[in-house]
Amino acid sequence: MKRIYNIGWIVGGLMLLTGCEDNRDNNLSEPLIYIVQSGEINENIYDTGENHICDIAIHKSGLIEKEVQMELMVDETLLAQYNGMHDAKAELLPADLYQLEKSELFIAASERKADFKVTFKTAEIKALGGSKKYVLPLSLKSKGEVQTNPDKAFVIISPSIQQASIGFGCDKVIEKIISPASSSQVNISLPIKTDFPNKWDINFDAQIDPQILDDWNIENRKAYSLLSPEYYQLSGEQKLVVGKNTQTLEVTLDREKLPFGWYAIPVGLSNPSMFYINDEKSTCLITILNRMNKIPHNKWTVISCSTQEKPQGDANGTPEAMIDDNNKTQWHSAYSPMAELPHTIVFKLDKAYEISELEILRRTDNFNTDLKAGRFEVSMDGENWIEATTFDFGKAKSNGFVSFFCEIPVKGQYLRVVVTESNRKTIASISELNAYGR
């Protein structure tokens, strides 16, 4: 037996293996039995008021069909080796805190699998507290001619009491961008879930909580507005039903009525009829950008440019290249000699627009990264400017158009691009520039 343990610790390293079977063993002519999930297992036991059952799956591999009589037994030698390897002081889980349903099992010659069941007494384990680590070391032993796989003949179960709770099964922030081409009805799913096997009907409240948005705006330096309930509907039964671990709520938006710009719907969970709300998964903030129409480039006129490589009117190198709907041309600053930063380009639109989004396509050749950072400004008269938003590509390459959104739509007839940083000394370029507004 000592040989088995030493090989197991060296090869397995007490690594937590996946529950998948090692199908390579099936190709061996002689059969072997092994624990599918061997090594150290951190077993989460949810405090639901019921005892917890852990299944220990045993698999028989090999091409030759033979019956198996086997035994699973507590092995304190494993505990000593575990503590020695990890410089730990884990203790043997007291025998009155668990029950091995059957210590011996039989696998018929024509069968492949069997399961040992260990029942952990949740309340009693919880009463132990968290000051010490308790484990249950188990060894698999064959009682016939079929041998065990020495590398997978042991398991150390470390039970951990977890709070039984429910929460959102999605990201804390869901960003939804709605284009003019979107369908008139936009649906957003909000899954509510729990990790423990649900044997109950659990009611809960899902409510709009403006405080979630206020806190998020402050933390992220945003100014998103709370979307009025007249523009959306929150539907779905606020209940996890017995036998199901997930219930999905739906937020339905009416795009035809939805105002343009950035808005948010903050949803919070509370008042469960059983157990708790998971603090880390108790909120979900849906941020919504209702995108305006793209302003056609035939409505734009170049007013001024602080630097350009080619004479005015050239198809490549001048600011006109930014609004020619040709991805292969680009404006670029002078590089012989190089112009000092910042670089500014001013456009005039055919009328005043509320602008909600600016979009840049960087040049598509080897100098894709020369443009780094800057800002967009909007003006009604071409003299008094308001910052609409900033852009920063960093040092990485980018493919395709990249959008930069205004937190609040900014109204103006003039648009100024200010390039403040370059990744190639002071050289900068832009292939295409789009604006979205109304």
Side-chain angles (χ1 to χ4, degrees):
M1 293 299 291
K2 184 176 181 180
R3 179 184 65 83
I4 292 175
Y5 298 144
N6 287 341
I7 294 175
W9 296 123
I10 294 172
V11 177
L14 275 181
M15 294 176 63
L16 178 61
L17 302 180
T18 67
C20 299
E21 299 164 4
D22 188 347
N23 290 319
R24 289 175 296 177
D25 288 351
N26 291 336
N27 296 323
L28 300 176
S29 58
E30 288 295 328
L32 291 173
I33 55 170
Y34 61 89
I35 299 173
V36 174
Q37 196 172 355
S38 61
E40 183 179 9
I41 298 176
N42 293 313
E43 187 74 5
N44 289 329
I45 300 176
Y46 291 93
D47 186 17
T48 63
E50 294 193 344
N51 290 335
H52 174 81
I53 298 176
C54 174
D55 291 324
I56 300 177
I58 310 299
H59 185 80
K60 181 181 68 174
S61 62
L63 297 177
I64 299 175
E65 293 186 346
K66 290 184 179 181
E67 63 181 34
V68 175
Q69 188 71 31
M70 58 190 169
E71 180 182 9
L72 190 68
M73 55 188 180
V74 177
D75 189 340
E76 294 190 43
T77 307
L78 285 173
L79 176 59
Q81 293 188 20
Y82 173 85
N83 282 332
M85 287 190 64
H86 295 274
D87 193 23
K89 296 180 179 180
E91 295 186 14
L92 183 68
L93 186 69
D96 59 342
L97 302 191
Y98 67 91
Q99 181 180 359
L100 187 59
E101 185 178 290
K102 293 181 180 180
S103 60
E104 295 188 11
L105 287 178
F106 175 79
I107 301 179
S110 60
E111 295 177 342
R112 287 280 184 182
K113 301 177 182 178
D115 291 314
F116 287 100
K117 294 184 181 297
V118 181
T119 299
F120 291 99
K121 298 180 180 180
T122 305
E124 288 82 350
I125 294 175
K126 181 181 179 182
L128 289 175
S131 58
K132 296 181 179 179
K133 180 174 183 176
Y134 292 89
V135 298
L136 180 60
L138 300 170
S139 287
L140 180 67
K141 180 181 179 182
S142 173
K143 303 190 74 174
E145 60 178 304
V146 176
Q147 298 300 305
T148 59
N149 181 333
D151 298 331
K152 302 178 182 180
F154 59 88
V155 62
I156 290 185
I157 304 175
S158 177
S160 175
I161 300 296
Q162 304 291 324
Q163 187 181 69
S165 62
I166 66 174
F168 283 105
C170 55
D171 294 335
K172 290 179 71 70
V173 179
I174 298 176
E175 183 180 275
K176 190 68 176 181
I177 298 176
I178 303 172
S179 71
S182 299
S183 60
S184 58
Q185 180 174 297
V186 179
N187 296 315
I188 303 169
S189 296
L190 298 178
I192 314 298
K193 64 178 295 185
T194 184
D195 292 327
F196 57 84
N198 182 31
K199 302 177 182 179
W200 305 269
D201 286 332
I202 307 173
N203 296 300
F204 58 87
D205 291 337
Q207 298 176 328
I208 304 304
D209 185 352
Q211 188 62 48
I212 297 171
L213 176 57
D214 292 343
D215 294 342
W216 186 83
N217 274 332
I218 293 172
E219 181 181 352
N220 294 276
R221 298 182 180 180
K222 302 291 186 181
Y224 291 6
S225 299
L226 181 68
L227 188 64
S228 173
E230 65 184 291
Y231 301 118
Y232 69 92
Q233 181 179 6
L234 177 62
S235 61
E237 186 178 16
Q238 298 184 12
K239 181 179 184 179
L240 281 164
V241 299
V242 60
K244 291 189 176 182
N245 284 60
T246 302
Q247 164 65 352
T248 301
L249 306 180
E250 293 285 343
V251 173
T252 303
L253 302 167
D254 186 344
R255 185 182 64 80
E256 302 297 333
K257 297 180 180 179
L258 197 64
F260 292 106
W262 279 107
Y263 293 89
I265 304 174
V267 186
L269 299 179
S270 62
N271 301 322
S273 60
M274 297 181 68
F275 311 125
Y276 301 91
I277 298 295
N278 187 323
D279 290 339
E280 295 298 317
K281 301 178 181 179
S282 63
T283 66
C284 181
L285 181 70
I286 305 171
T287 61
I288 301 161
L289 173 65
N290 190 19
R291 209 175 200 183
M292 297 180 179
N293 289 306
K294 186 166 73 172
I295 303 172
H297 283 148
N298 60 12
K299 309 293 185 182
W300 300 48
T301 303
V302 177
I303 298 299
S304 64
C305 180
S306 65
T307 175
Q308 61 191 52
E309 179 54 30
K310 296 292 179 66
Q312 194 76 13
D314 193 288
N316 194 21
T318 67
E320 283 83 3
M322 299 165 63
I323 55 173
D324 64 356
D325 296 312
N326 184 348
N327 295 352
K328 295 181 179 180
T329 62
Q330 67 269 329
W331 160 80
H332 49 80
S333 61
Y335 52 80
S336 182
M338 287 187 291
E340 295 297 320
L341 291 169
H343 310 319
T344 61
I345 306 102
V346 177
F347 299 94
K348 182 179 180 180
L349 308 176
D350 65 317
K351 63 183 73 173
Y353 291 83
E354 281 188 315
I355 296 175
S356 63
E357 174 188 353
L358 286 305
E359 193 176 51
I360 290 177
L361 175 68
R362 294 161 99 184
R363 63 192 298 176
T364 57
D365 57 18
N366 293 334
F367 301 107
N368 171 267
T369 61
D370 60 7
L371 176 69
K372 184 178 186 297
R375 65 182 181 271
F376 297 106
E377 299 173 340
V378 174
S379 171
M380 288 294 294
D381 56 11
E383 295 183 4
N384 300 291
W385 298 92
I386 299 173
E387 183 177 294
T389 188
T390 61
F391 62 89
D392 191 341
F393 289 93
K395 296 181 180 180
K397 290 184 177 181
S398 61
N399 296 315
F401 285 91
V402 179
S403 290
F404 303 91
F405 301 104
C406 308
E407 292 184 6
I408 300 174
V410 181
K411 189 173 183 178
Q413 188 173 0
Y414 294 83
L415 173 63
R416 180 161 66 182
V417 183
V418 183
V419 178
T420 58
E421 295 184 65
S422 168
N423 287 315
R424 193 158 62 106
K425 296 182 179 180
T426 66
I427 296 173
S429 60
I430 296 175
S431 181
E432 289 291 305
L433 174 66
N434 293 323
Y436 294 79
R438 64 171 181 176

mmCIF file of all heavy atoms in Angstrom, residues 406-429:
data_model
loop_
_atom_site.group_PDB
_atom_site.id
_atom_site.type_symbol
_atom_site.label_atom_id
_atom_site.label_comp_id
_atom_site.label_asym_id
_atom_site.label_seq_id
_atom_site.Cartn_x
_atom_site.Cartn_y
_atom_site.Cartn_z
ATOM 1 N N CYS A 406 -20.333 59.863 -25.945
ATOM 2 C CA CYS A 406 -20.566 61.003 -25.075
ATOM 3 C C CYS A 406 -21.504 60.558 -23.946
ATOM 4 O O CYS A 406 -22.519 59.913 -24.210
ATOM 5 C CB CYS A 406 -21.216 62.155 -25.841
ATOM 6 S SG CYS A 406 -20.341 62.629 -27.354
ATOM 7 N N GLU A 407 -21.157 60.878 -22.729
ATOM 8 C CA GLU A 407 -22.028 60.495 -21.625
ATOM 9 C C GLU A 407 -23.388 61.174 -21.767
ATOM 10 O O GLU A 407 -24.422 60.588 -21.452
ATOM 11 C CB GLU A 407 -21.385 60.850 -20.296
ATOM 12 C CG GLU A 407 -20.150 60.013 -19.990
ATOM 13 C CD GLU A 407 -19.575 60.311 -18.628
ATOM 14 O OE1 GLU A 407 -20.205 61.088 -17.883
ATOM 15 O OE2 GLU A 407 -18.508 59.785 -18.309
ATOM 16 N N ILE A 408 -23.382 62.407 -22.220
ATOM 17 C CA ILE A 408 -24.611 63.158 -22.492
ATOM 18 C C ILE A 408 -24.473 63.739 -23.896
ATOM 19 O O ILE A 408 -23.434 64.316 -24.227
ATOM 20 C CB ILE A 408 -24.816 64.293 -21.474
ATOM 21 C CG1 ILE A 408 -24.922 63.719 -20.052
ATOM 22 C CG2 ILE A 408 -26.070 65.088 -21.797
ATOM 23 C CD1 ILE A 408 -24.975 64.764 -18.972
ATOM 24 N N PRO A 409 -25.478 63.591 -24.782
ATOM 25 C CA PRO A 409 -25.371 64.176 -26.124
ATOM 26 C C PRO A 409 -25.039 65.665 -26.065
ATOM 27 O O PRO A 409 -25.588 66.412 -25.242
ATOM 28 C CB PRO A 409 -26.761 63.926 -26.720
ATOM 29 C CG PRO A 409 -27.263 62.714 -25.999
ATOM 30 C CD PRO A 409 -26.742 62.846 -24.603
ATOM 31 N N VAL A 410 -24.110 66.087 -26.937
ATOM 32 C CA VAL A 410 -23.648 67.473 -26.972
ATOM 33 C C VAL A 410 -24.099 68.100 -28.282
ATOM 34 O O VAL A 410 -23.878 67.540 -29.357
ATOM 35 C CB VAL A 410 -22.111 67.549 -26.845
ATOM 36 C CG1 VAL A 410 -21.651 68.999 -26.847
ATOM 37 C CG2 VAL A 410 -21.653 66.842 -25.571
ATOM 38 N N LYS A 411 -24.717 69.285 -28.207
ATOM 39 C CA LYS A 411 -25.271 69.923 -29.399
ATOM 40 C C LYS A 411 -24.300 70.937 -29.981
ATOM 41 O O LYS A 411 -23.689 71.720 -29.259
ATOM 42 C CB LYS A 411 -26.600 70.609 -29.067
ATOM 43 C CG LYS A 411 -27.339 71.107 -30.298
ATOM 44 C CD LYS A 411 -28.713 71.616 -29.937
ATOM 45 C CE LYS A 411 -29.489 72.038 -31.188
ATOM 46 N NZ LYS A 411 -30.866 72.501 -30.868
ATOM 47 N N GLY A 412 -24.158 70.901 -31.326
ATOM 48 C CA GLY A 412 -23.301 71.866 -31.979
ATOM 49 C C GLY A 412 -23.280 71.648 -33.482
ATOM 50 O O GLY A 412 -23.680 70.592 -33.978
ATOM 51 N N GLN A 413 -22.772 72.670 -34.208
ATOM 52 C CA GLN A 413 -22.639 72.585 -35.662
ATOM 53 C C GLN A 413 -21.184 72.385 -36.066
ATOM 54 O O GLN A 413 -20.901 71.985 -37.198
ATOM 55 C CB GLN A 413 -23.194 73.853 -36.330
ATOM 56 C CG GLN A 413 -23.266 73.751 -37.847
ATOM 57 C CD GLN A 413 -23.972 74.942 -38.490
ATOM 58 O OE1 GLN A 413 -24.413 75.855 -37.802
ATOM 59 N NE2 GLN A 413 -24.089 74.933 -39.809
ATOM 60 N N TYR A 414 -20.270 72.638 -35.127
ATOM 61 C CA TYR A 414 -18.842 72.509 -35.411
ATOM 62 C C TYR A 414 -18.273 71.364 -34.565
ATOM 63 O O TYR A 414 -18.625 71.193 -33.392
ATOM 64 C CB TYR A 414 -18.096 73.809 -35.094
ATOM 65 C CG TYR A 414 -18.475 74.961 -35.989
ATOM 66 C CD1 TYR A 414 -19.605 75.730 -35.717
ATOM 67 C CD2 TYR A 414 -17.711 75.285 -37.104
ATOM 68 C CE1 TYR A 414 -19.971 76.795 -36.524
ATOM 69 C CE2 TYR A 414 -18.062 76.350 -37.933
ATOM 70 C CZ TYR A 414 -19.193 77.096 -37.635
ATOM 71 O OH TYR A 414 -19.552 78.157 -38.447
ATOM 72 N N LEU A 415 -17.359 70.628 -35.170
ATOM 73 C CA LEU A 415 -16.714 69.505 -34.491
ATOM 74 C C LEU A 415 -15.202 69.665 -34.622
ATOM 75 O O LEU A 415 -14.685 69.858 -35.724
ATOM 76 C CB LEU A 415 -17.156 68.181 -35.124
ATOM 77 C CG LEU A 415 -16.449 66.911 -34.647
ATOM 78 C CD1 LEU A 415 -16.713 66.660 -33.169
ATOM 79 C CD2 LEU A 415 -16.913 65.716 -35.478
ATOM 80 N N ARG A 416 -14.510 69.588 -33.481
ATOM 81 C CA ARG A 416 -13.051 69.742 -33.500
ATOM 82 C C ARG A 416 -12.404 68.466 -32.947
ATOM 83 O O ARG A 416 -12.762 67.981 -31.869
ATOM 84 C CB ARG A 416 -12.615 70.946 -32.674
ATOM 85 C CG ARG A 416 -11.095 71.153 -32.670
ATOM 86 C CD ARG A 416 -10.694 72.558 -32.259
ATOM 87 N NE ARG A 416 -11.015 72.866 -30.868
ATOM 88 C CZ ARG A 416 -10.794 74.047 -30.286
ATOM 89 N NH1 ARG A 416 -10.274 75.051 -31.020
ATOM 90 N NH2 ARG A 416 -11.108 74.258 -29.030
ATOM 91 N N VAL A 417 -11.448 67.939 -33.712
ATOM 92 C CA VAL A 417 -10.644 66.805 -33.270
ATOM 93 C C VAL A 417 -9.312 67.355 -32.783
ATOM 94 O O VAL A 417 -8.626 68.075 -33.514
ATOM 95 C CB VAL A 417 -10.402 65.799 -34.420
ATOM 96 C CG1 VAL A 417 -9.633 64.593 -33.916
ATOM 97 C CG2 VAL A 417 -11.715 65.382 -35.056
ATOM 98 N N VAL A 418 -8.949 67.014 -31.537
ATOM 99 C CA VAL A 418 -7.682 67.467 -30.957
ATOM 100 C C VAL A 418 -6.836 66.239 -30.628
ATOM 101 O O VAL A 418 -7.196 65.447 -29.757
ATOM 102 C CB VAL A 418 -7.912 68.304 -29.682
ATOM 103 C CG1 VAL A 418 -6.579 68.824 -29.147
ATOM 104 C CG2 VAL A 418 -8.875 69.462 -29.957
ATOM 105 N N VAL A 419 -5.741 66.058 -31.359
ATOM 106 C CA VAL A 419 -4.835 64.945 -31.122
ATOM 107 C C VAL A 419 -3.759 65.403 -30.152
ATOM 108 O O VAL A 419 -3.012 66.342 -30.447
ATOM 109 C CB VAL A 419 -4.195 64.442 -32.429
ATOM 110 C CG1 VAL A 419 -3.208 63.315 -32.144
ATOM 111 C CG2 VAL A 419 -5.269 63.991 -33.401
ATOM 112 N N THR A 420 -3.679 64.733 -28.996
ATOM 113 C CA THR A 420 -2.741 65.162 -27.958
ATOM 114 C C THR A 420 -1.570 64.213 -27.759
ATOM 115 O O THR A 420 -0.554 64.611 -27.197
ATOM 116 C CB THR A 420 -3.486 65.313 -26.619
ATOM 117 O OG1 THR A 420 -4.098 64.053 -26.276
ATOM 118 C CG2 THR A 420 -4.562 66.389 -26.711
ATOM 119 N N GLU A 421 -1.692 62.956 -28.213
ATOM 120 C CA GLU A 421 -0.611 61.985 -28.000
ATOM 121 C C GLU A 421 -0.429 61.103 -29.228
ATOM 122 O O GLU A 421 -1.399 60.766 -29.918
ATOM 123 C CB GLU A 421 -0.907 61.095 -26.787
ATOM 124 C CG GLU A 421 -0.930 61.831 -25.464
ATOM 125 C CD GLU A 421 -1.141 60.878 -24.307
ATOM 126 O OE1 GLU A 421 -0.255 60.027 -24.069
ATOM 127 O OE2 GLU A 421 -2.200 60.958 -23.655
ATOM 128 N N SER A 422 0.825 60.732 -29.463
ATOM 129 C CA SER A 422 1.174 59.871 -30.582
ATOM 130 C C SER A 422 2.058 58.737 -30.080
ATOM 131 O O SER A 422 2.789 58.886 -29.094
ATOM 132 C CB SER A 422 1.923 60.659 -31.659
ATOM 133 O OG SER A 422 2.508 59.796 -32.606
ATOM 134 N N ASN A 423 1.987 57.592 -30.753
ATOM 135 C CA ASN A 423 2.896 56.486 -30.467
ATOM 136 C C ASN A 423 4.120 56.507 -31.378
ATOM 137 O O ASN A 423 4.960 55.603 -31.298
ATOM 138 C CB ASN A 423 2.169 55.147 -30.635
ATOM 139 C CG ASN A 423 1.180 54.885 -29.511
ATOM 140 O OD1 ASN A 423 1.487 55.087 -28.343
ATOM 141 N ND2 ASN A 423 -0.019 54.434 -29.864
ATOM 142 N N ARG A 424 4.214 57.533 -32.240
ATOM 143 C CA ARG A 424 5.339 57.634 -33.194
ATOM 144 C C ARG A 424 5.813 59.079 -33.210
ATOM 145 O O ARG A 424 5.494 59.843 -34.121
ATOM 146 C CB ARG A 424 4.895 57.147 -34.571
ATOM 147 C CG ARG A 424 6.041 56.904 -35.535
ATOM 148 C CD ARG A 424 5.645 55.955 -36.653
ATOM 149 N NE ARG A 424 4.578 56.456 -37.483
ATOM 150 C CZ ARG A 424 4.743 56.924 -38.731
ATOM 151 N NH1 ARG A 424 5.951 56.953 -39.275
ATOM 152 N NH2 ARG A 424 3.710 57.340 -39.431
ATOM 153 N N LYS A 425 6.492 59.450 -32.116
ATOM 154 C CA LYS A 425 6.956 60.835 -31.917
ATOM 155 C C LYS A 425 5.748 61.767 -31.910
ATOM 156 O O LYS A 425 4.916 61.670 -31.015
ATOM 157 C CB LYS A 425 7.982 61.203 -32.976
ATOM 158 C CG LYS A 425 9.251 60.356 -32.884
ATOM 159 C CD LYS A 425 10.296 60.761 -33.910
ATOM 160 C CE LYS A 425 11.543 59.906 -33.768
ATOM 161 N NZ LYS A 425 12.586 60.262 -34.760
ATOM 162 N N THR A 426 5.589 62.643 -32.913
ATOM 163 C CA THR A 426 4.415 63.526 -32.940
ATOM 164 C C THR A 426 3.512 63.239 -34.135
ATOM 165 O O THR A 426 2.569 63.985 -34.403
ATOM 166 C CB THR A 426 4.851 65.006 -32.993
ATOM 167 O OG1 THR A 426 5.499 65.265 -34.246
ATOM 168 C CG2 THR A 426 5.778 65.346 -31.849
ATOM 169 N N ILE A 427 3.803 62.155 -34.850
ATOM 170 C CA ILE A 427 3.047 61.836 -36.072
ATOM 171 C C ILE A 427 1.720 61.188 -35.716
ATOM 172 O O ILE A 427 1.640 60.326 -34.846
ATOM 173 C CB ILE A 427 3.869 60.914 -36.981
ATOM 174 C CG1 ILE A 427 5.147 61.641 -37.454
ATOM 175 C CG2 ILE A 427 3.051 60.433 -38.171
ATOM 176 C CD1 ILE A 427 6.093 60.758 -38.224
ATOM 177 N N ALA A 428 0.665 61.598 -36.394
ATOM 178 C CA ALA A 428 -0.659 61.024 -36.176
ATOM 179 C C ALA A 428 -1.393 60.929 -37.501
ATOM 180 O O ALA A 428 -1.069 61.626 -38.469
ATOM 181 C CB ALA A 428 -1.459 61.861 -35.194
ATOM 182 N N SER A 429 -2.407 60.048 -37.545
ATOM 183 C CA SER A 429 -3.199 59.888 -38.755
ATOM 184 C C SER A 429 -4.568 59.337 -38.383
ATOM 185 O O SER A 429 -4.749 58.680 -37.349
ATOM 186 C CB SER A 429 -2.493 58.933 -39.728
ATOM 187 O OG SER A 429 -2.313 57.665 -39.119
#
